Amino acid sequence: MSSASPGIGIFTVLPSYLAAVAELAVSAALTRDVSGAVAVVPGSGDWWQGMLDTRARGAAAVVIADPAALPQKGLGAYPWPGDIPVIVERPRLRPDVVADAVRAGRGRPARIVTVECAAPATGLEAVIRDGLGWARSLVRGPLTLQVCSATAHARIALLDSGGSAGGAIPVTLGATAAAGLHADGLLQVLALGEVRTEVTVDQQAGLTRLETSTEDGTLRAPERYESSARLALRRAIEAQSSGQPGTDLDELLEDMSLTRAVLAT
């Protein structure tokens, strides 16, 4: 980044983030130097080590771009020190759409949540993880696995919200390994309570749909045209400027741990 540039330095080679930087020309500028920059770590491969490497090279904040599943040993060998902000891009669990769903819920958690997902075997773990992230968001708290059963191509699990003040909120999960070459998969979430919330995410089709039903009728949330990469970059710039670490990484690790418990059954 040149000294004349007003934007925060962004270190990335990912096409979606290069496009995002171009769209955020006032607040962001590409740089070849990781030190002091927001570093974008590709979510494929060993992104945990990539995150540690960019921190060691002086990054001021990190974005993990659509992280894939990692082996457990990849997380435990070198713990994250938590001294710089980490923003996690999760296209199936966009924070702006989650916020829309929570607002539409009128301040009350769901009374029951069902999660259904399907993806090729290579991408199923990540889709389950984000489906459980949606459930966690809608019940407003951590989930506990109660029971799970499995076949060669499917999983069914019962979870609940544990120590909720209003009693445990049940969550059901159905996951199917589907044929196909695209690992993005399909995710559908239904939350029932005083408000009915339905979420459909089909990354391959470029679809994220949120519908909320009340006694006044059904309302479909406006489509979000901002790319998930641009959203993540904006949030990283804000986190870097404020110095607030955020909760993205903790939430990701929580959802990963629960997903592994489901898949280990």
Side-chain angles (χ1 to χ4, degrees), residues 96-117:
D96 51 357
V97 181
V98 171
D100 287 342
V102 171
R103 278 194 299 268
R106 298 181 173 182
R108 296 183 178 273
R111 294 304 173 193
I112 184 171
V113 178
T114 63
V115 178
E116 296 186 3
C117 49

Side-chain angles (χ1 to χ4, degrees), residues 100-187:
D100 287 342
V102 171
R103 278 194 299 268
R106 298 181 173 182
R108 296 183 178 273
R111 294 304 173 193
I112 184 171
V113 178
T114 63
V115 178
E116 296 186 3
C117 49
T122 55
L124 187 58
E125 182 174 344
V127 178
I128 293 173
R129 177 199 68 202
D130 291 345
L132 292 176
W134 264 108
R136 169 182 48 75
S137 301
L138 293 172
V139 303
R140 315 283 183 85
L143 300 175
T144 302
L145 178 63
Q146 300 299 323
V147 65
C148 181
S149 62
T151 67
H153 301 289
R155 301 262 170 176
I156 299 175
L158 174 64
L159 311 95
D160 67 39
S161 63
S164 158
I169 301 171
V171 173
T172 63
L173 168 73
T176 304
L181 299 177
H182 296 277
D184 296 334
L186 175 67
L187 176 62

Side-chain angles (χ1 to χ4, degrees), residues 36-80:
V38 173
V40 180
V41 175
S44 57
D46 189 349
W47 52 262
W48 187 267
Q49 187 59 53
M51 186 171 63
L52 291 168
D53 290 345
T54 56
R55 174 190 170 274
R57 293 164 63 191
V62 176
V63 175
I64 309 172
D66 194 9
L70 278 184
Q72 183 64 42
K73 63 180 181 180
L75 301 175
Y78 301 97
W80 177 249

Side-chain angles (χ1 to χ4, degrees), residues 244-259:
Q244 298 297 318
T247 60
D248 283 23
L249 185 60
D250 289 340
E251 291 170 352
L252 175 66
L253 296 179
E254 179 182 336
D255 296 340
M256 288 175 63
S257 177
L258 191 58
T259 300

